[in-house]
Amino acid sequence: MKGTNDLILKTTTTIIVFIILGFSIYLFFAGHNAPGGGFIGGLMTAGALVLLYISYGFKTMHKVIRIDFKNFIPIGLLIAVLTGVGSFLFGQPFLSQTDAYFELPILGHSHLATAMLFDLGVYFTVVGVTMTIILSIAADEGEEELSKVNG
């Protein structure tokens, strides 16, 4: 199957990935008021990225997305911990949240909460862990197949 060019898979993947990423962003922003948040948003983003890796191949995607997903894990954990510790600066208990309504240019009248910062940390951590696990399994499997072919 080396060198296959599945046009239908690649075309539908491109469309589906944008839908998944859009819904992922919606769930992320809705998470502090409704079901959703950083965890499910991160899983959906990782799912969209995995779909791209399956459709276009590991080598092609590695050229396009030059990101080491392992770096997302400490960044996400740092954001989540700093969000919790930040409440101490205002004399509040750990992980206390504050919220308010803002007028944003594109989104209009929006409700924002500090819980979104914690969700952002969770989002980065989930994307980092999920993509690291899946890509390391894929890399091991690819090396296994390569060793079978070579010898």
Side-chain angles (χ1 to χ4, degrees), residues 17 20-28 37-53 65 69 72 123-124 126-128 130-131:
V17 163
I20 293 172
L21 289 175
F23 193 57
S24 169
I25 292 168
Y26 165 76
L27 285 175
F28 172 76
F39 185 78
I40 191 64
L43 282 178
M44 288 188 68
T45 300
L49 291 171
V50 167
L51 184 58
L52 285 170
Y53 273 90
I65 301 176
F69 290 102
F72 278 41
Y123 179 87
F124 276 120
V126 169
V127 169
T130 306
M131 291 305 295

Side-chain angles (χ1 to χ4, degrees), residues 1-7 10 55-57 59-60:
M1 281 257 174
K2 188 175 180 180
T4 61
N5 187 10
D6 195 350
L7 183 63
K10 289 179 181 179
S55 299
Y56 289 97
K59 289 181 182 178
T60 304

Side-chain angles (χ1 to χ4, degrees), residues 57-108:
F58 186 80
K59 289 181 182 178
T60 304
M61 289 304 298
H62 187 66
K63 289 178 186 174
V64 174
I65 301 176
R66 295 178 180 258
I67 297 173
D68 186 8
F69 290 102
K70 289 179 205 160
N71 295 332
F72 278 41
I73 301 167
I75 291 170
L77 291 173
L78 184 66
I79 291 170
V81 169
L82 289 178
T83 301
V85 172
S87 58
F88 292 148
L89 298 174
F90 300 102
Q92 298 295 321
F94 185 70
L95 282 176
S96 295
Q97 81 159 347
T98 308
D99 61 334
Y101 287 91
F102 296 95
E103 196 66 38
L104 300 175
I106 295 173
L107 301 175

